[in-house]
Amino acid sequence: MHSRTTTTIEDPKNPGHVKTFTFDLAYWSHNGFQKDKDGVLISADPTSKFASQRDVFHDIGRGILDCAWQGYNATLLAYGQTGAGKSYSMIGFGADKGIIPSVCEELFRAIEKQERNQEYQVTFSMLEIYNEQIRDLLSRTKKPGGLKVREDQHLGFYVEGLKSVPCENYAQIEKLMEQGTRIRTTASTNMNASSSRSHMVTTIRFKQVFLDRALTKQSSINLVDLAGSERQKSSGSEGDRLREGSRVNLSLTTLGNVISALADAALRKKVPHIPYRDSVLTKLLQSALGGNSRTTLIAAISPADICYEETLSTLRYAERAKKVRNKAVVNTCTLGRESRAENSRLLLGGGNSGVPGSCDAGQAASNAITLQGLGISDKHASFTNLDGKVTVTPYSKCKVVINGVPITTRTKLQHLDRIILGSSSAYLYIGFPLERSSEDLSRFDYDFFQLERAAAEGVSVDKLGAVSSADGQADPSVLAVFQDYIKLMPLVAEANQMSEELKKGLEMELKVKNLASSDSRGYDLQKEVMVKVTNQRTHEVWIWSKAKFINRKFLMEELYQHFLDGEDSHVAQEDDPFWDPAEVIHLGSAHVWLQSLAYCMKFEDQVEFLNCDGLEEAVLHVHITPCSPAGCAHSEEDVVIDPLELLGKRIDFQIHLVRCLGIKWLKEDAKRGIQMGYRIYDLPITLYTKPVWKTVNPQIEETVQFAAFSASQEFLNYLQTNALVVDLWGLQAHTPSNILKITQRTAGVPSAREIHQMYTQQASCDREFAKALKVFYQSMNMARGHFLRLRQCKPPEDDQMLRPFIHQQSQMLKDFGDLLESSLWKLKNDIALIVKKKREYLLHVRQ
């Protein structure tokens, strides 16, 4: 690199064959550096061409920040072969911070220096694409099959269920980045000991609120660290690495095809199709590649001669990308949405003129105030200005919400009251001139209205348990759940309105799954937003995930649009987005603590089933009784003082579910039924009671005896610290038989003999596994002996003896390889046989 813009590459196999590429910037970071006192790499001397991380950030990172402050979307892509420095440029290493942390840190530094009449909101998300599957790097759980990419006619492609965490300072983002980077998929190759095997997309959403101008600017910053564009020969990839590498290269090839098509389009060539949909990566980068974004590509290359082909390929890739032209626009909007002008005409006009009188608001053209929006009736509400007081009165059953609280009668309005008409049309009431002062009106944005509605419904960050009592820090995962709740509130309101107008008879309400639920040790379970759907006519209930609800709402809107256009909105039941087959509903959980068993004491109690809101759903009467192998209850003489007295001994006990009392599910509809299920310790299956129908206080009377043949310390600890979690399930009259799997497995609860067989089978598998490992260990000892003998052999000084020595060494090496291969093959087959037997047995148990 002889200048800051050109790169020259020479073919090592054909000296003199030189190619030169010109880019906006070219950085040399291979040598000519030293460490400063903080461990940061800097130029070794004034003549060095070395470009530091600070230089790269100054040229590229600050440009990204400038775009964000102006309201443009910005994207930075890092492309290149494994080991060339993509992740180093984006994330950094040690004291040398990359572009991503530097951008985040500088963003918050700049925010702190801004004027007080502006507000800022920053949210952070982080995902990886690995083998064409998406994983949320900020989530504690890995969803099987990955998150799904959905398409919205306004938003384009987006990742369903991806967490976007609000952040107030750089320290919070730094913590999230550390978490995400730690669990990102990496694997060792010859090119790089910690080579990233996935694409990583970090997104920072930055919103500016200008309070004095009633204006917002929004920017989405996408920082993309692409997986290495590796080849098998140079990277040493094989086996799983080779298979995943083929998917990585397929993804990058698709990205190249998109860039080529866009480059041709920029040159006004005829392009029939741009293949955004051919990979997950290009779907998510559609806007960044050819839409509303200012996009920069970093092409990371290696100076090594063995990397000539990969380096040349990367430079050509970047040259194609340079031809693409995007059309970025500033993302701004005025506060109050389309309602602001109408609000001024309605409320400010009446107040300024001082005239006593009434005017109607609604969709009809005859109204003094014409409104549009879902849930707005022809005559929706009447506003009255009388004796210096303004009141609002809803017509009939029209929906009017004041400061988050629904009203049904005439209500006096106060200055800065928040009004929602219909499903989600939001307005701010501005009082008479004497009531006004220099208030900050810009804070009353759409999110403010929804937060207020959530608070009125009893949902807040505190109620969700987002703030830990120990350190006072907010839990990002719970904050994300609260954010989901706020975003879904207006969508649920709109869905309910469409259901009402289409006469579907459904009522949808937001719930927080596991709001008051805990695991067997009493720790909180991960919370998530769900939608409870109730058919008002049949009393059928469904629980929809956030993703399912959003998909259904898209379909509802299509059906509703046909209705508005006067077309036939009737569809077959199986195609109706407002219908689902009846399903089993989780009603709540009861915790029965097992500590008494550790002392051989009988336990009898009535415990509450708590639903997702933490309210009592029913009461369970339960007995837990230590007993002999024959099932005879122990007496008080068998009680132990110290649980360690039971160590290594056989423990038998019975769990007796006596009855269930006051089941609300059955009080609401007598045709329903219930069933209970639980698992204990390491039992591989869930045990279920027989279904009971049409009884509010059903007798269960089911007993199961369990046996621990040699009580381990782990099992005794389990008894002392864990609870038996009994789940209560609601059955519905029209539930198809293929859905009621839990009832079909309860022709009889497993007997003590069957449970004994389960533990015997487990012990047998453990013994066979231990035997296989012992044989493998012995084989490895033999292989180790071969290897040590190989190391100790020294070549003879006599040249005539060298050939026999090499022959002997080759034979020993072959023997070593054969032994190692046969040992691994035997271990693999032994384990496969054990796994097969265990699967066959579990299948038999389930059947």
Side-chain angles (χ1 to χ4, degrees), residues 30-288:
H30 180 58
N31 55 21
F33 58 83
Q34 64 182 9
K35 286 187 178 181
D36 67 7
K37 59 182 179 62
D38 298 319
V40 177
L41 300 182
I42 58 174
S43 295
D45 56 71
T47 63
S48 171
K49 296 186 294 181
F50 176 74
S52 68
Q53 294 280 62
R54 292 174 181 171
D55 296 328
V56 176
F57 172 74
H58 183 271
D59 294 338
I60 299 176
R62 291 198 181 280
I64 292 172
L65 283 174
D66 290 343
C67 288
W69 283 103
Q70 294 173 49
Y72 289 103
N73 294 334
T75 301
L76 176 64
L77 301 157
Y79 175 86
Q81 73 183 97
T82 295
K86 299 181 304 302
S87 296
Y88 176 73
S89 300
M90 299 296 279
I91 303 294
F93 182 79
D96 283 294
K97 291 183 178 179
I99 292 175
I100 295 178
S102 298
V103 163
C104 298
E105 189 172 20
E106 286 297 317
L107 177 62
F108 281 105
R109 281 181 183 171
I111 287 174
E112 291 174 359
K113 298 176 183 178
Q114 298 302 311
E115 300 176 4
R116 293 185 177 181
N117 62 343
Q118 297 176 21
E119 292 181 356
Y120 304 93
Q121 300 169 14
V122 178
T123 60
F124 183 86
S125 65
M126 202 172 185
L127 64 84
E128 74 166 355
I129 305 171
Y130 174 67
N131 282 350
E132 286 297 285
Q133 293 185 358
I134 297 175
R135 180 179 183 183
D136 188 344
L137 294 178
L138 303 184
S139 175
R140 297 175 183 174
T141 57
K142 186 174 181 180
K143 185 176 180 181
L147 301 178
K148 302 301 181 186
V149 177
R150 304 296 185 193
E151 187 175 13
D152 177 74
Q153 58 182 347
H154 302 297
L155 301 175
F157 291 107
Y158 68 97
V159 180
E160 185 177 75
L162 181 69
K163 289 185 178 176
S164 185
V165 182
C167 295
E168 298 179 351
N169 51 55
Y170 172 66
Q172 292 178 355
I173 285 187
E174 187 175 38
K175 184 177 179 181
L176 292 171
M177 278 194 295
E178 288 176 359
Q179 172 190 329
T181 305
R182 187 166 56 249
I183 64 176
R184 187 183 177 192
T185 303
T186 61
S188 175
T189 66
N190 291 348
M191 300 297 295
N192 190 346
S194 58
S195 169
S196 171
R197 308 301 307 126
S198 64
H199 310 299
M200 184 180 75
V201 182
T202 301
T203 302
I204 303 159
R205 300 194 188 281
F206 177 45
K207 181 178 180 181
Q208 307 171 66
V209 182
F210 298 89
L211 307 180
D212 53 345
R213 289 184 284 165
L215 181 73
T216 66
K217 287 184 179 179
Q218 300 186 68
S219 175
S220 181
I221 306 172
N222 294 300
L223 305 168
V224 186
D225 182 12
L226 296 169
S229 55
E230 35 194 41
R231 301 185 178 195
Q232 183 187 4
K233 288 183 179 179
S234 58
S235 68
S237 298
E238 56 183 343
D240 290 341
R241 299 287 80 76
L242 178 59
R243 284 189 290 274
E244 72 181 16
S246 66
R247 288 199 176 188
V248 168
N249 285 334
L250 175 63
S251 178
L252 293 175
T253 299
T254 303
L255 177 60
N257 293 338
V258 169
I259 289 175
S260 294
L262 291 170
D264 289 343
L267 297 174
R268 297 189 176 181
K269 295 181 180 179
K270 187 175 181 180
V271 178
H273 170 64
I274 298 177
Y276 289 117
R277 297 176 180 272
D278 288 2
S279 77
V280 170
L281 177 67
T282 48
K283 284 180 182 178
L284 296 182
L285 294 182
Q286 179 174 357
S287 180

Side-chain angles (χ1 to χ4, degrees), residues 632-675:
C632 298
H634 283 330
S635 65
E636 293 183 0
E637 296 176 357
D638 297 304
V639 173
V640 298
I641 303 300
D642 187 345
L644 289 176
E645 296 178 40
L646 301 174
L647 188 62
K649 297 180 180 179
R650 173 168 176 155
I651 299 177
D652 288 85
F653 58 94
Q654 294 179 346
I655 295 177
H656 179 198
L657 303 184
V658 183
R659 67 184 305 182
C660 202
L661 305 171
I663 304 171
K664 292 182 179 178
W665 173 256
L666 294 167
K667 290 179 180 178
E668 294 169 359
D669 188 341
K671 297 188 294 294
R672 294 171 172 171
I674 61 101
Q675 189 169 22

Side-chain angles (χ1 to χ4, degrees), residues 802-818:
L802 190 60
R803 184 181 296 275
F805 172 79
I806 293 174
H807 177 74
Q808 181 187 17
Q809 289 288 95
S810 298
Q811 187 60 44
M812 290 177 68
L813 191 62
K814 181 178 181 300
D815 293 342
F816 172 73
D818 290 344

Side-chain angles (χ1 to χ4, degrees), residues 498-499 502-506 535 537 542 544 548 552 555-556 559-560 569-581:
M498 288 187 282
S499 170
L502 292 171
K503 295 181 172 54
K504 295 295 183 179
L506 295 192
N535 188 312
R537 293 189 290 268
W542 303 278
W544 289 351
K548 182 172 183 176
R552 285 299 178 93
L555 299 174
M556 291 175 187
L559 195 63
Y560 183 70
S569 58
H570 176 75
V571 291
Q573 188 181 62
E574 60 271 17
D575 297 325
D576 191 345
F578 293 91
W579 179 85
D580 250 356

Side-chain angles (χ1 to χ4, degrees), residues 571-839:
V571 291
Q573 188 181 62
E574 60 271 17
D575 297 325
D576 191 345
F578 293 91
W579 179 85
D580 250 356
E583 60 186 30
V584 177
I585 303 296
H586 184 257
L587 302 178
S589 301
H591 283 59
V592 183
W593 293 97
L594 300 171
Q595 190 174 17
S596 62
L597 283 178
Y599 298 89
C600 278
M601 295 173 61
K602 182 179 179 180
F603 175 83
E604 179 179 349
D605 200 2
Q606 292 188 352
V607 292
E608 296 176 324
F609 281 107
L610 298 180
N611 61 22
C612 66
D613 296 320
L615 302 177
E616 182 185 300
E617 180 67 30
V619 173
L620 172 65
H621 186 189
V622 60
H623 295 173
I624 297 182
T625 309
C627 63
S628 68
C632 298
H634 283 330
S635 65
E636 293 183 0
E637 296 176 357
D638 297 304
V639 173
V640 298
I641 303 300
D642 187 345
L644 289 176
E645 296 178 40
L646 301 174
L647 188 62
K649 297 180 180 179
R650 173 168 176 155
I651 299 177
D652 288 85
F653 58 94
Q654 294 179 346
I655 295 177
H656 179 198
L657 303 184
V658 183
R659 67 184 305 182
C660 202
L661 305 171
I663 304 171
K664 292 182 179 178
W665 173 256
L666 294 167
K667 290 179 180 178
E668 294 169 359
D669 188 341
K671 297 188 294 294
R672 294 171 172 171
I674 61 101
Q675 189 169 22
M676 287 177 278
Y678 63 88
R679 291 180 66 176
I680 187 165
Y681 195 45
D682 61 355
L683 196 67
I685 62 170
T686 301
L687 304 180
Y688 291 97
T689 63
K690 295 175 182 176
V692 179
W693 297 87
K694 305 177 183 179
T695 308
V696 177
N697 302 308
Q699 288 288 134
I700 308 298
E701 296 296 353
E702 292 197 11
T703 303
V704 181
Q705 183 167 327
F706 299 86
F709 298 108
S710 178
S712 63
Q713 184 63 60
E714 181 187 25
F715 180 67
L716 294 176
N717 290 341
Y718 167 80
L719 294 180
Q720 294 178 82
T721 59
N722 283 257
L724 177 73
V725 180
V726 184
D727 291 307
L728 181 65
W729 297 91
L731 310 179
Q732 307 191 62
H734 304 290
T735 307
S737 58
N738 64 323
I739 298 296
L740 277 176
K741 293 178 182 176
I742 60 175
T743 66
Q744 295 176 356
R745 287 176 46 198
T746 55
V749 178
S751 65
R753 179 183 177 185
E754 290 170 326
I755 293 173
H756 172 78
Q757 289 175 346
M758 293 177 199
Y759 282 105
T760 302
Q761 175 68 18
Q762 178 66 40
S764 174
C765 288
D766 291 344
R767 282 195 300 271
E768 291 182 23
F769 184 63
K771 182 180 178 182
L773 285 178
K774 183 178 180 181
V775 172
F776 179 70
Y777 178 73
Q778 291 170 344
S779 300
M780 286 299 98
N781 269 342
M782 292 177 61
R784 183 171 178 269
H786 276 283
F787 182 69
L788 289 175
R789 286 194 294 274
L790 274 169
R791 289 184 60 182
Q792 291 169 358
C793 292
K794 295 182 179 179
E797 295 180 0
D798 187 351
D799 290 347
Q800 293 182 357
M801 299 299 295
L802 190 60
R803 184 181 296 275
F805 172 79
I806 293 174
H807 177 74
Q808 181 187 17
Q809 289 288 95
S810 298
Q811 187 60 44
M812 290 177 68
L813 191 62
K814 181 178 181 300
D815 293 342
F816 172 73
D818 290 344
L819 178 60
L820 189 63
E821 186 175 349
S822 64
S823 300
L824 290 171
W825 181 86
K826 187 173 188 325
L827 178 66
K828 179 181 177 182
N829 278 275
D830 287 345
I831 291 177
L833 186 61
I834 294 169
V835 170
K836 182 181 178 182
K837 286 182 179 178
K838 190 167 184 178
R839 283 179 177 169

Side-chain angles (χ1 to χ4, degrees), residues 463-464 512-519 523-525 527 589 591 610-615:
K463 184 172 180 181
L464 292 178
V512 178
K513 184 180 180 181
N514 298 328
L515 177 61
S517 301
S518 56
D519 63 14
Y523 295 130
D524 288 347
L525 294 173
K527 301 173 177 63
S589 301
H591 283 59
L610 298 180
N611 61 22
C612 66
D613 296 320
L615 302 177

